[in-house]
Amino acid sequence: QRARRLQVGGGGADVFRGGEGQDQIVVSDGDFFDIDGGNGADTLVLAGTGFDFDLTDISDSKTTGIEILDLTAGSGAHILTLSLTDLLNLSDTSNTLTVEGGGADSVEVTTGEWTDMDVVGHYHVYRLGAAELKIHVAITDVDITLGT
């Protein structure tokens, strides 16, 4: 397996192309043109200050090949908003999204009634159909609808 490759955007209409292996792509705003992490467990890192990353406002084809979203870079509270469809379309190889973050960050899931699978390791795990969302336990501000 190839070593991790780091790609850092300059802001604006950046284009990122990962390859095989574990790529790490760093963006400082949501104005990028296209991200494709490629094969492997690829990470999209949200840098900057107080990043509000709303995947429901971004075309599903604009961000692909991503298995991990990292909210720990930069400063301030980062906000991640996504739908079930966003999660399923992020990765070409799995239906699992892992979200890294801290106590100031938050995650909002806009669709579906999820099953709470409890805490596994350092992640609170939620499932809906084929989708699995793993949110680091340090992120306590999670807005997700749970089924009965």
Side-chain angles (χ1 to χ4, degrees):
Q1 184 175 359
R2 192 173 64 70
R4 182 178 294 257
R5 185 170 82 177
L6 175 66
Q7 299 178 53
V8 179
D14 295 315
V15 175
F16 300 93
R17 293 287 178 262
E20 293 182 20
Q22 299 176 349
D23 298 301
Q24 189 173 38
I25 298 167
V26 181
V27 297
S28 58
D29 60 41
D31 295 331
F32 56 86
F33 183 75
D34 190 60
I35 294 174
D36 183 352
N39 295 328
D42 303 303
T43 302
L44 177 59
V45 179
L46 307 182
T49 302
F51 201 132
D52 186 354
F53 192 56
D54 189 345
L55 284 169
T56 65
D57 284 343
I58 298 173
S59 169
D60 290 336
S61 63
K62 187 175 172 177
T63 310
T64 59
I66 298 297
E67 291 74 32
I68 302 166
L69 276 170
D70 187 347
L71 309 179
T72 61
S75 61
H78 296 314
I79 301 167
L80 170 64
T81 305
L82 73 157
S83 70
L84 171 63
T85 303
D86 296 322
L87 186 150
L88 292 172
N89 290 331
L90 269 177
S91 175
D92 302 329
T93 58
S94 83
N95 291 321
T96 299
L97 176 65
T98 301
V99 181
E100 302 287 351
D105 301 318
S106 63
V107 176
E108 178 185 2
V109 183
T110 62
T111 57
E113 289 188 3
W114 295 73
T115 301
D116 184 345
M117 304 303 292
D118 211 355
V119 174
V120 178
H122 296 285
Y123 300 93
H124 204 130
V125 179
Y126 302 92
R127 286 199 183 126
L128 177 57
E132 182 173 86
L133 178 60
K134 298 166 61 174
I135 301 175
H136 196 280
V137 294
I139 303 173
T140 57
D141 185 2
V142 178
D143 184 2
I144 188 168
T145 301
L146 300 177
T148 55

